Amino acid sequence: SVNSAVTLSNGDSKPNRWASQYGIFIAPLGCTLKQIRGTASSDAGTGDDCVISVWKVSPNTDATTNVTLTAIKQFTLTSQNNQNHVFGLNDAPTSNNSFAAGDVCFVSIRRTGTKSGGVKWYSDVGLQFEE
């Protein structure tokens, strides 16, 4: 996942290398992201929340031009102050979910709220693509 010192937003311009460093899926041909399914957990205390985001970028192969981030889905999670609480991530995106051959999908976790030292957020995400 991406570890960024700044908040990532739809339309942000980021280094082209992000397409190769953070990708979890590269479209082998044109396809559509139909379903996002996952889980998340944390040892965070009350108020130490997060946003998990699913993104798309089109890499500029054989070039150095920046890529533009496209937000597909963002999940806002409120800490339950219990590390055994598992959050469900489930969405059937209907916008920004078309991928051209070579487009890259990646996931980011951004902490919000209290941001106590040593807190960890974890997530596993499955993606269903259709041709």
Side-chain angles (χ1 to χ4, degrees), residues 40 49-53 73-80 87-89 110 112-113 121:
D49 307 325
C50 85
V51 176
I52 296 176
S53 302
K73 176 63 182 177
Q74 296 183 318
F75 299 93
T76 300
L77 306 180
T78 302
S79 173
Q80 299 301 300
F87 295 88
L89 310 174
R110 175 175 50 94
T112 61
W121 276 92

Side-chain angles (χ1 to χ4, degrees), residues 24 33 35-39 54 89 91 124-129:
I24 60 171
L33 175 56
Q35 189 69 38
I36 301 167
R37 185 74 136 194
T39 57
V54 179
L89 310 174
D91 189 67
D124 287 307
V125 178
L127 306 169
Q128 177 187 354
F129 288 86

Side-chain angles (χ1 to χ4, degrees), residues 9-131:
S9 299
N10 191 46
D12 281 354
S13 176
K14 292 296 174 189
N16 194 32
R17 62 180 156 62
W18 278 37
S20 65
Q21 285 181 310
Y22 303 121
I24 60 171
F25 174 80
I26 299 172
L29 46 85
C31 57
T32 303
L33 175 56
K34 292 292 195 176
Q35 189 69 38
I36 301 167
R37 185 74 136 194
T39 57
S41 64
S42 177
D43 61 359
T46 303
D48 210 334
D49 307 325
C50 85
V51 176
I52 296 176
S53 302
V54 179
W55 304 91
K56 174 177 74 170
V57 297
S58 297
N60 297 309
T61 54
D62 301 320
T64 59
T65 310
N66 281 2
V67 294
T68 301
L69 303 183
T70 300
I72 298 172
K73 176 63 182 177
Q74 296 183 318
F75 299 93
T76 300
L77 306 180
T78 302
S79 173
Q80 299 301 300
N81 197 23
N82 183 333
Q83 64 185 350
N84 288 315
H85 181 90
V86 174
F87 295 88
L89 310 174
N90 187 17
D91 189 67
T94 57
S95 62
N96 297 324
N97 60 333
S98 294
F99 282 65
D103 282 356
V104 175
C105 183
F106 71 91
V107 177
S108 68
I109 299 175
R110 175 175 50 94
R111 292 180 56 207
T112 61
T114 307
K115 300 182 188 174
S116 301
V119 168
K120 306 263 190 293
W121 276 92
Y122 305 94
S123 181
D124 287 307
V125 178
L127 306 169
Q128 177 187 354
F129 288 86
E130 292 182 5
E131 198 176 334

